[in-house]
């Protein structure tokens, strides 16, 4: 006999709660509303809550018109009041899981949500943790707090881990067509979770436990971090070998099987790839195991900004200049192309290193009008002109946004350090490409 929650999911009368309305939570909330569910977004950020209730979008992957429409129709509203959980049938937790200063997991956002959730968890409630975290979090942190209420998991409430797989800016893969992994504390938890997510996502991938689902996510992102680390180390090797790493990788990529292309870059940005593998290595330390690949990849990826600054110094040396006293422009400060997010962006590390080296540094990025910098704000240059470009001793392409005329940059810059192979195959005294023979 189906329980009332399953019936509510079936007839879409289940009220969906999304806790954390960032680049994961907001698109998820919109997707449920687009599929006819009433959605209540909960966030501690009052400004965000007001923006949503005014139908104003702030996430690139969400369409402004779509958000305005579902708010106007009363399908989606937001609040800072966790007491709303009393009227929510399915609560999806999408809060940040950063690292603290010691590079250990910081689950404080999950714990804050849990303190509220424990007050309002009720019979026939489904809870899914979507935030990337170490294996065991769902069972060791969340389950006990909820069962303290006397409610029984798998009978009174249902608890799963279901990792988010958002790739910001990816136009091809979005929530609906990205398979969703899910692991519940009990089989009934998983069954209800599958039914819920099936309402908005084409493919659901149930696994045996929350720990399995937590580990799936960490494998996905650790896989990327380690392979990017390998690409970065190969780039450094190619500079010493006098070959062009981009040609090497492109040629290797012609292998129709057994190879997957990753490219070198100025370092590893974003709120996931540089961070998530440390959740796994931290957990393994508690089990007396040292996750060496993760540590080594982290070392290599975090030295790339230093390597880029070395290339800048070498380029300036060609013209009898040094970093100290030079005027340098960073082109692209977001952590990857065509998005506006600067979290963990390697461009920020390069900016710091150049300023520490005595350079005067500006940046240009149409996606990022300003950044918080040295306890104040630093603004993007407002436009690229020939005169402006010529005034810089070096222009460093850190993020290769598609909306820049790179030929114009080449025609006007005195020296270019290209960390993204924008000038593929070019050998030119005025252009230094990461990973290519520089006769440095
Ligand atoms: N990068 C490289 N070389 C590469 C690929 C990426 O240097 O070959 C750099 C990028 O420039 C960026 C960083 O790595 O600074 C992360 O890039 P990313 O493409 O992994 O992008 P994220 O972190 O925005 O999103 C990733 C998702 N991306 C892809 O799968 C392509 C996915 O791994 C996760 O769903 C998401 O993180 C997450 O939220 O976990």
């Amino acid at each position: 006999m189906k329980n009332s929650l399953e019936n509510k999911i079936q007839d879409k009368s289940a009220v969906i709660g999304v806790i954390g309305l960032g680049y994961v939570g907001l698109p998820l909330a919109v997707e449920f509303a687009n599929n006819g569910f009433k959605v209540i977004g909960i966030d501690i950020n009052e400004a965000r809550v007001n923006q949503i209730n005014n139908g104003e979008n702030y996430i690139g992957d969400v369409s402004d018109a779509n958000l305005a429409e579902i708010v106007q129709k009363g399908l989606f509203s937001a609040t800072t009041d966790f007491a709303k959980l009393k009227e929510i049938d399915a609560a999806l937790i999408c809060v940040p899981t950063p690292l603290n200063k010691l590079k250990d997991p910081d689950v404080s956002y999950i714990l804050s949500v849990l303190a509220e959730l424990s007050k309002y968890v009720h019979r026939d409630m489904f809870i899914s943790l979507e935030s990337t975290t170490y294996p065991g979090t769902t069972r060791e942190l969340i389950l006990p707090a909820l069962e303290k209420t006397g409610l029984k998991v798998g009978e009174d409430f249902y608890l799963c881990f279901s990792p988010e797989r958002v790739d910001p800016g990816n136009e091809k893969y979005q929530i609906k067509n990205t398979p969703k992994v899910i692991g519940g504390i009990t089989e009934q938890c998983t069954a209800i979770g599958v039914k819920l997510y099936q309402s908005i996502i084409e493919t659901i991938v149930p696994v045996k436990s929350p720990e399995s689902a937590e580990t799936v996510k960490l494998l996905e992102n650790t896989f990327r971090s380690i392979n990017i680390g390998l690409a970065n180390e190969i780039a450094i090797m190619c500079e010493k070998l006098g070959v062009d790493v981009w040609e090497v990788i492109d040629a290797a990529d012609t292998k129709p099987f057994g190879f997957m292309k990753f490219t070198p870059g100025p370092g590893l940005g974003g709120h996931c790839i540089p961070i998530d593998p440390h959740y796994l290595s931290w957990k393994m330390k508690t089990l007396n195991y040292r996750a060496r690949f993760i540590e080594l990849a982290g070392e290599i990826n975090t030295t790339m900004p230093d390597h880029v600054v070395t290339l800048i110094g070498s380029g300036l040396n060609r013209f009898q200049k040094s970093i100290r006293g030079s005027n340098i422009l960073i082109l692209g400060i977001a952590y990857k192309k065509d998005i506006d997010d600067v979290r963990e962006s390697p461009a920020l590390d390069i900016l710091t290193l150049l300023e520490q080296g005595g350079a005067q540094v500006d940046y240009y990025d149409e996606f990022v009008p300003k950044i918080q910098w040295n306890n104040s704000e630093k603004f993007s240059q407002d436009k690229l002109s020939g005169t402006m470009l010529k005034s810089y001793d070096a222009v460093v392409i850190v993020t290769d946004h598609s909306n820049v005329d790179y030929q114009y940059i080449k025609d006007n810059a005195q020296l270019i350090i290209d960390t993204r192979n924008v000038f593929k195959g070019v050998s030119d005294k005025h252009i230094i490409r990461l990973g290519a023979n520089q006769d440095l």
Side-chain angles (χ1 to χ4, degrees):
M1 210 271 272
K2 281 186 180 175
N3 74 12
S4 66
L5 178 53
E6 283 177 289
N7 290 331
K8 284 180 176 177
I9 292 169
Q10 187 72 30
D11 65 20
K12 300 194 176 182
S13 62
V15 176
I16 310 296
V18 176
I19 306 171
L21 299 169
Y23 81 97
V24 174
L26 190 59
L28 187 64
V30 169
E31 196 68 31
F32 271 104
N34 285 342
N35 281 276
F37 288 89
K38 183 178 177 236
V39 182
I40 299 174
I42 301 179
D43 199 297
I44 55 171
N45 181 325
E46 197 158 350
R48 265 183 177 179
V49 164
N50 294 335
Q51 277 181 283
I52 287 170
N53 291 331
N54 294 328
E56 289 162 24
N57 179 34
Y58 51 82
I59 294 286
D61 290 343
V62 171
S63 115
D64 297 355
N66 186 184
L67 180 76
E69 181 199 5
I70 55 176
V71 169
Q72 194 274 322
K73 281 183 182 168
L75 274 170
F76 181 37
S77 64
T79 179
T80 56
D81 179 10
F82 279 83
K84 284 284 183 187
L85 284 164
K86 283 184 281 196
E87 47 189 275
I88 281 167
D89 300 302
L92 314 178
I93 305 169
C94 307
V95 293
T97 44
L99 295 175
N100 64 22
K101 293 252 180 300
L102 303 173
K103 280 202 177 252
D104 288 340
D106 171 4
V107 291
S108 59
Y109 293 87
I110 293 179
L111 293 173
S112 315
V113 169
L114 198 49
E116 295 297 331
L117 190 55
S118 311
K119 292 182 210 163
Y120 305 109
V121 61
H122 55 77
R123 274 191 203 302
D124 267 354
M125 188 175 194
F126 173 80
I127 295 118
S128 172
L129 176 61
E130 295 221 355
S131 308
T132 305
T133 185
Y134 61 82
T137 304
T138 306
R139 190 185 304 277
E140 296 159 15
L141 275 189
I142 298 188
L143 178 59
L146 297 182
E147 286 205 312
K148 237 186 244 156
T149 60
L151 293 173
K152 188 94 189 77
V153 71
E155 292 165 28
D156 302 321
F157 69 92
Y158 306 93
L159 177 59
C160 289
F161 182 80
S162 180
E164 58 87 3
R165 274 180 168 172
V166 173
D167 182 17
N170 189 325
E171 310 220 327
K172 185 174 177 204
Y173 292 108
Q174 297 181 343
I175 290 179
K176 185 175 179 53
N177 65 347
T178 301
K180 194 83 157 80
V181 170
I182 182 165
I185 297 282
T186 70
E187 282 181 18
Q188 182 61 356
C189 296
T190 306
I192 289 188
V194 167
K195 183 172 265 321
L196 176 75
Y197 283 112
Q198 243 164 10
S199 323
I200 63 163
I201 299 172
E202 289 160 4
T203 310
I204 310 297
V205 184
V207 292
K208 286 213 174 14
S209 66
E211 288 82 357
S212 179
E214 288 157 341
T215 308
V216 166
K217 177 65 182 181
L218 292 175
L219 170 59
E220 288 168 13
N221 285 2
T222 300
F223 169 78
R224 288 185 68 71
S225 165
I226 283 174
N227 281 286
I228 293 164
L230 174 62
N232 284 329
E233 185 166 52
I234 294 283
I236 294 170
M237 292 181 199
C238 284
E239 286 175 5
K240 297 179 184 310
L241 290 166
V243 301
D244 181 333
V245 72
W246 306 92
E247 178 186 71
V248 167
I249 290 171
D250 283 347
D253 196 32
T254 60
K255 183 179 179 191
F257 50 83
F259 183 78
M260 185 172 175
K261 179 176 179 180
F262 286 86
T263 53
L268 212 46
H271 23 274
C272 314
I273 306 305
I275 288 165
D276 298 347
H278 294 284
Y279 269 72
L280 184 55
S281 55
W282 174 84
K283 174 69 181 181
M284 296 322 295
K285 263 188 264 180
T286 69
L287 301 173
N288 298 320
Y289 183 81
R290 214 175 125 234
R292 288 160 292 171
F293 269 116
I294 293 174
E295 289 172 11
L296 179 58
E299 279 167 38
I300 292 170
N301 289 328
T302 46
T303 58
M304 291 316 285
D306 299 87
H307 185 69
V308 170
V309 171
T310 304
L311 295 180
I312 297 168
S314 307
L316 289 168
N317 282 348
R318 284 182 181 173
F319 304 93
Q320 289 74 47
K321 293 179 186 174
S322 65
I323 286 178
R324 184 163 300 284
S326 282
N327 200 15
I328 297 174
L329 178 71
I330 288 177
L331 210 47
I333 202 157
Y335 77 80
K336 70 175 183 179
K337 74 183 335 184
D338 302 342
I339 64 164
D340 62 2
D341 197 336
V342 294
R343 277 176 293 183
E344 308 291 325
S345 175
L348 302 177
D349 300 318
I350 293 167
L351 182 50
T352 302
L353 290 166
L354 288 173
E355 288 188 340
Q356 285 170 349
Q360 151 55 37
V361 194
D362 294 325
Y363 82 88
Y364 176 82
D365 188 325
E366 284 186 17
F367 288 85
V368 188
K370 66 179 178 181
I371 58 173
Q372 295 306 315
W373 194 251
N374 297 338
N375 302 322
S376 74
E377 287 176 332
K378 190 178 185 71
F379 294 85
S380 168
Q381 296 300 93
D382 54 18
K383 66 180 173 51
L384 293 172
S385 71
T387 326
M388 172 258 202
L389 284 164
K390 287 186 173 69
S391 72
Y392 290 100
D393 300 299
V395 173
V396 192
I397 301 173
V398 180
T399 304
D400 50 334
H401 289 313
S402 314
N403 62 356
V404 172
D405 176 350
Y406 292 103
Q407 186 55 47
Y408 185 72
I409 307 289
K410 184 166 185 273
D411 296 344
N412 288 284
Q414 296 182 56
L415 168 68
I416 295 171
I417 287 80
D418 173 7
T419 72
R420 299 288 191 174
N421 200 38
V422 165
F423 297 107
K424 186 182 176 102
V426 169
S427 241
D428 177 319
K429 183 182 177 202
H430 302 270
I431 297 178
I432 287 197
R433 285 184 297 123
L434 168 69
N437 40 332
Q438 321 277 352
D439 52 290
L440 293 178

